[in-house]
Amino acid sequence: MHISTKCSIAVHCLVFINEYGGGRRVTSELLSLSTGCNPVVVRGIMSALKKAGIISVKSGRGGAEIGCSLDQISLYRVCMAVEPGALDKLIGIHSAPSPFCPVGRNIHGVLDASYEKIRGDLAASLQSTTLKEIVEDYRRRVSQ
């Protein structure tokens, strides 16, 4: 099982853009320095966020801005923008159990309902957390 870091990188970028974008041009190179990620990875994430309407990117000289109100941006929206199949990848069922084994024959049916509930609970939790809350938490921590 693999949990991607794309969502946390995206949130990092969004907090940075929100906090520092007003006074300076926020580029993938600048975000790369802050996140510790390759600029190519950052550009891919930024492209996905732009496509989802979460940010806008100025053409020409570049620079990113938040494209909507922070309370309209949930962690779910961010995660689905940068990795649409994340919830299915997080918890899935192995693909080739033995049809000759009673457990193998039935394991998909046994796990489907439980895993679907887990994915639903996670989606609800991600939907209830907004970028506004994350930015407020960031500001509290910085001011301490």
Side-chain angles (χ1 to χ4, degrees), residues 32-53:
S32 173
L33 292 171
S34 179
T35 62
C37 295
N38 187 301
V40 173
V41 172
V42 171
R43 280 192 286 277
I45 288 171
M46 299 299 284
S47 176
L49 293 173
K50 179 182 176 189
K51 188 175 179 181

PDB file of all heavy atoms in Angstrom, residues 32-53:
ATOM      1  N   SER A  32       9.282  25.121  -5.209  1.00  0.00           N
ATOM      2  CA  SER A  32      10.203  23.994  -5.131  1.00  0.00           C
ATOM      3  C   SER A  32      11.172  24.160  -3.961  1.00  0.00           C
ATOM      4  O   SER A  32      11.451  23.211  -3.229  1.00  0.00           O
ATOM      5  CB  SER A  32      10.982  23.861  -6.441  1.00  0.00           C
ATOM      6  OG  SER A  32      11.980  22.902  -6.330  1.00  0.00           O
ATOM      7  N   LEU A  33      11.654  25.372  -3.773  1.00  0.00           N
ATOM      8  CA  LEU A  33      12.555  25.646  -2.652  1.00  0.00           C
ATOM      9  C   LEU A  33      11.848  25.447  -1.314  1.00  0.00           C
ATOM     10  O   LEU A  33      12.421  24.907  -0.373  1.00  0.00           O
ATOM     11  CB  LEU A  33      13.101  27.068  -2.744  1.00  0.00           C
ATOM     12  CG  LEU A  33      14.060  27.347  -3.899  1.00  0.00           C
ATOM     13  CD1 LEU A  33      14.355  28.843  -3.993  1.00  0.00           C
ATOM     14  CD2 LEU A  33      15.349  26.553  -3.731  1.00  0.00           C
ATOM     15  N   SER A  34      10.597  25.874  -1.245  1.00  0.00           N
ATOM     16  CA  SER A  34       9.852  25.755   0.003  1.00  0.00           C
ATOM     17  C   SER A  34       9.458  24.310   0.306  1.00  0.00           C
ATOM     18  O   SER A  34       9.558  23.863   1.447  1.00  0.00           O
ATOM     19  CB  SER A  34       8.598  26.635  -0.050  1.00  0.00           C
ATOM     20  OG  SER A  34       7.858  26.515   1.142  1.00  0.00           O
ATOM     21  N   THR A  35       9.025  23.571  -0.719  1.00  0.00           N
ATOM     22  CA  THR A  35       8.550  22.194  -0.504  1.00  0.00           C
ATOM     23  C   THR A  35       9.672  21.175  -0.467  1.00  0.00           C
ATOM     24  O   THR A  35       9.493  20.076   0.066  1.00  0.00           O
ATOM     25  CB  THR A  35       7.571  21.760  -1.611  1.00  0.00           C
ATOM     26  OG1 THR A  35       8.244  21.783  -2.874  1.00  0.00           O
ATOM     27  CG2 THR A  35       6.330  22.632  -1.648  1.00  0.00           C
ATOM     28  N   GLY A  36      10.801  21.509  -1.069  1.00  0.00           N
ATOM     29  CA  GLY A  36      11.884  20.536  -1.179  1.00  0.00           C
ATOM     30  C   GLY A  36      11.652  19.534  -2.288  1.00  0.00           C
ATOM     31  O   GLY A  36      12.281  18.479  -2.329  1.00  0.00           O
ATOM     32  N   CYS A  37      10.759  19.860  -3.202  1.00  0.00           N
ATOM     33  CA  CYS A  37      10.430  18.975  -4.330  1.00  0.00           C
ATOM     34  C   CYS A  37      10.992  19.536  -5.628  1.00  0.00           C
ATOM     35  O   CYS A  37      11.194  20.744  -5.759  1.00  0.00           O
ATOM     36  CB  CYS A  37       8.910  18.852  -4.479  1.00  0.00           C
ATOM     37  SG  CYS A  37       8.133  18.051  -3.099  1.00  0.00           S
ATOM     38  N   ASN A  38      11.165  18.668  -6.573  1.00  0.00           N
ATOM     39  CA  ASN A  38      11.613  19.057  -7.903  1.00  0.00           C
ATOM     40  C   ASN A  38      10.594  20.019  -8.524  1.00  0.00           C
ATOM     41  O   ASN A  38       9.393  19.805  -8.415  1.00  0.00           O
ATOM     42  CB  ASN A  38      11.740  17.782  -8.749  1.00  0.00           C
ATOM     43  CG  ASN A  38      12.350  18.043 -10.092  1.00  0.00           C
ATOM     44  OD1 ASN A  38      11.835  18.822 -10.886  1.00  0.00           O
ATOM     45  ND2 ASN A  38      13.449  17.363 -10.360  1.00  0.00           N
ATOM     46  N   PRO A  39      11.057  21.077  -9.202  1.00  0.00           N
ATOM     47  CA  PRO A  39      10.135  22.019  -9.847  1.00  0.00           C
ATOM     48  C   PRO A  39       9.180  21.351 -10.841  1.00  0.00           C
ATOM     49  O   PRO A  39       8.047  21.801 -11.011  1.00  0.00           O
ATOM     50  CB  PRO A  39      11.053  23.011 -10.567  1.00  0.00           C
ATOM     51  CG  PRO A  39      12.361  22.902  -9.884  1.00  0.00           C
ATOM     52  CD  PRO A  39      12.458  21.496  -9.360  1.00  0.00           C
ATOM     53  N   VAL A  40       9.615  20.276 -11.478  1.00  0.00           N
ATOM     54  CA  VAL A  40       8.743  19.564 -12.422  1.00  0.00           C
ATOM     55  C   VAL A  40       7.547  18.960 -11.686  1.00  0.00           C
ATOM     56  O   VAL A  40       6.407  19.018 -12.165  1.00  0.00           O
ATOM     57  CB  VAL A  40       9.532  18.483 -13.190  1.00  0.00           C
ATOM     58  CG1 VAL A  40       8.617  17.634 -14.043  1.00  0.00           C
ATOM     59  CG2 VAL A  40      10.618  19.118 -14.044  1.00  0.00           C
ATOM     60  N   VAL A  41       7.785  18.398 -10.507  1.00  0.00           N
ATOM     61  CA  VAL A  41       6.706  17.841  -9.691  1.00  0.00           C
ATOM     62  C   VAL A  41       5.760  18.957  -9.271  1.00  0.00           C
ATOM     63  O   VAL A  41       4.537  18.826  -9.366  1.00  0.00           O
ATOM     64  CB  VAL A  41       7.277  17.110  -8.445  1.00  0.00           C
ATOM     65  CG1 VAL A  41       6.170  16.709  -7.490  1.00  0.00           C
ATOM     66  CG2 VAL A  41       8.097  15.901  -8.874  1.00  0.00           C
ATOM     67  N   VAL A  42       6.321  20.075  -8.841  1.00  0.00           N
ATOM     68  CA  VAL A  42       5.504  21.217  -8.417  1.00  0.00           C
ATOM     69  C   VAL A  42       4.668  21.725  -9.584  1.00  0.00           C
ATOM     70  O   VAL A  42       3.471  21.999  -9.423  1.00  0.00           O
ATOM     71  CB  VAL A  42       6.387  22.337  -7.832  1.00  0.00           C
ATOM     72  CG1 VAL A  42       5.584  23.611  -7.600  1.00  0.00           C
ATOM     73  CG2 VAL A  42       7.041  21.880  -6.535  1.00  0.00           C
ATOM     74  N   ARG A  43       5.259  21.822 -10.776  1.00  0.00           N
ATOM     75  CA  ARG A  43       4.503  22.294 -11.940  1.00  0.00           C
ATOM     76  C   ARG A  43       3.343  21.360 -12.264  1.00  0.00           C
ATOM     77  O   ARG A  43       2.250  21.817 -12.619  1.00  0.00           O
ATOM     78  CB  ARG A  43       5.423  22.463 -13.155  1.00  0.00           C
ATOM     79  CG  ARG A  43       6.205  23.760 -13.116  1.00  0.00           C
ATOM     80  CD  ARG A  43       6.897  24.071 -14.442  1.00  0.00           C
ATOM     81  NE  ARG A  43       8.063  23.239 -14.704  1.00  0.00           N
ATOM     82  CZ  ARG A  43       9.276  23.461 -14.223  1.00  0.00           C
ATOM     83  NH1 ARG A  43       9.493  24.492 -13.435  1.00  0.00           N
ATOM     84  NH2 ARG A  43      10.269  22.670 -14.514  1.00  0.00           N
ATOM     85  N   GLY A  44       3.544  20.054 -12.136  1.00  0.00           N
ATOM     86  CA  GLY A  44       2.459  19.104 -12.375  1.00  0.00           C
ATOM     87  C   GLY A  44       1.321  19.288 -11.382  1.00  0.00           C
ATOM     88  O   GLY A  44       0.140  19.257 -11.750  1.00  0.00           O
ATOM     89  N   ILE A  45       1.676  19.492 -10.132  1.00  0.00           N
ATOM     90  CA  ILE A  45       0.666  19.717  -9.096  1.00  0.00           C
ATOM     91  C   ILE A  45      -0.054  21.037  -9.349  1.00  0.00           C
ATOM     92  O   ILE A  45      -1.287  21.116  -9.261  1.00  0.00           O
ATOM     93  CB  ILE A  45       1.324  19.664  -7.698  1.00  0.00           C
ATOM     94  CG1 ILE A  45       1.696  18.213  -7.382  1.00  0.00           C
ATOM     95  CG2 ILE A  45       0.402  20.256  -6.634  1.00  0.00           C
ATOM     96  CD1 ILE A  45       2.542  18.018  -6.144  1.00  0.00           C
ATOM     97  N   MET A  46       0.684  22.066  -9.687  1.00  0.00           N
ATOM     98  CA  MET A  46       0.077  23.372  -9.968  1.00  0.00           C
ATOM     99  C   MET A  46      -0.864  23.298 -11.167  1.00  0.00           C
ATOM    100  O   MET A  46      -1.941  23.904 -11.165  1.00  0.00           O
ATOM    101  CB  MET A  46       1.164  24.418 -10.203  1.00  0.00           C
ATOM    102  CG  MET A  46       2.090  24.626  -9.015  1.00  0.00           C
ATOM    103  SD  MET A  46       1.237  25.205  -7.561  1.00  0.00           S
ATOM    104  CE  MET A  46       1.003  26.889  -8.036  1.00  0.00           C
ATOM    105  N   SER A  47      -0.473  22.544 -12.167  1.00  0.00           N
ATOM    106  CA  SER A  47      -1.324  22.367 -13.343  1.00  0.00           C
ATOM    107  C   SER A  47      -2.649  21.701 -12.959  1.00  0.00           C
ATOM    108  O   SER A  47      -3.724  22.116 -13.411  1.00  0.00           O
ATOM    109  CB  SER A  47      -0.587  21.527 -14.388  1.00  0.00           C
ATOM    110  OG  SER A  47      -1.421  21.264 -15.482  1.00  0.00           O
ATOM    111  N   ALA A  48      -2.581  20.687 -12.109  1.00  0.00           N
ATOM    112  CA  ALA A  48      -3.795  20.002 -11.660  1.00  0.00           C
ATOM    113  C   ALA A  48      -4.675  20.930 -10.824  1.00  0.00           C
ATOM    114  O   ALA A  48      -5.909  20.927 -10.963  1.00  0.00           O
ATOM    115  CB  ALA A  48      -3.425  18.750 -10.863  1.00  0.00           C
ATOM    116  N   LEU A  49      -4.059  21.743  -9.966  1.00  0.00           N
ATOM    117  CA  LEU A  49      -4.826  22.691  -9.149  1.00  0.00           C
ATOM    118  C   LEU A  49      -5.479  23.759 -10.025  1.00  0.00           C
ATOM    119  O   LEU A  49      -6.612  24.181  -9.775  1.00  0.00           O
ATOM    120  CB  LEU A  49      -3.922  23.346  -8.104  1.00  0.00           C
ATOM    121  CG  LEU A  49      -3.381  22.422  -7.008  1.00  0.00           C
ATOM    122  CD1 LEU A  49      -2.359  23.166  -6.148  1.00  0.00           C
ATOM    123  CD2 LEU A  49      -4.505  21.854  -6.164  1.00  0.00           C
ATOM    124  N   LYS A  50      -4.785  24.180 -11.071  1.00  0.00           N
ATOM    125  CA  LYS A  50      -5.347  25.167 -12.002  1.00  0.00           C
ATOM    126  C   LYS A  50      -6.534  24.566 -12.750  1.00  0.00           C
ATOM    127  O   LYS A  50      -7.586  25.194 -12.872  1.00  0.00           O
ATOM    128  CB  LYS A  50      -4.277  25.630 -12.993  1.00  0.00           C
ATOM    129  CG  LYS A  50      -4.780  26.636 -13.998  1.00  0.00           C
ATOM    130  CD  LYS A  50      -3.722  27.033 -14.991  1.00  0.00           C
ATOM    131  CE  LYS A  50      -4.328  27.961 -16.035  1.00  0.00           C
ATOM    132  NZ  LYS A  50      -3.414  28.209 -17.142  1.00  0.00           N
ATOM    133  N   LYS A  51      -6.364  23.352 -13.223  1.00  0.00           N
ATOM    134  CA  LYS A  51      -7.432  22.672 -13.961  1.00  0.00           C
ATOM    135  C   LYS A  51      -8.684  22.505 -13.095  1.00  0.00           C
ATOM    136  O   LYS A  51      -9.807  22.594 -13.588  1.00  0.00           O
ATOM    137  CB  LYS A  51      -6.929  21.303 -14.433  1.00  0.00           C
ATOM    138  CG  LYS A  51      -7.863  20.579 -15.360  1.00  0.00           C
ATOM    139  CD  LYS A  51      -7.214  19.297 -15.859  1.00  0.00           C
ATOM    140  CE  LYS A  51      -8.154  18.551 -16.771  1.00  0.00           C
ATOM    141  NZ  LYS A  51      -7.551  17.297 -17.253  1.00  0.00           N
ATOM    142  N   ALA A  52      -8.494  22.318 -11.791  1.00  0.00           N
ATOM    143  CA  ALA A  52      -9.616  22.150 -10.865  1.00  0.00           C
ATOM    144  C   ALA A  52     -10.210  23.487 -10.409  1.00  0.00           C
ATOM    145  O   ALA A  52     -11.163  23.511  -9.638  1.00  0.00           O
ATOM    146  CB  ALA A  52      -9.164  21.343  -9.650  1.00  0.00           C
ATOM    147  N   GLY A  53      -9.637  24.604 -10.872  1.00  0.00           N
ATOM    148  CA  GLY A  53     -10.146  25.919 -10.506  1.00  0.00           C
ATOM    149  C   GLY A  53      -9.748  26.382  -9.120  1.00  0.00           C
ATOM    150  O   GLY A  53     -10.311  27.341  -8.596  1.00  0.00           O
TER     151      GLY A  53
END
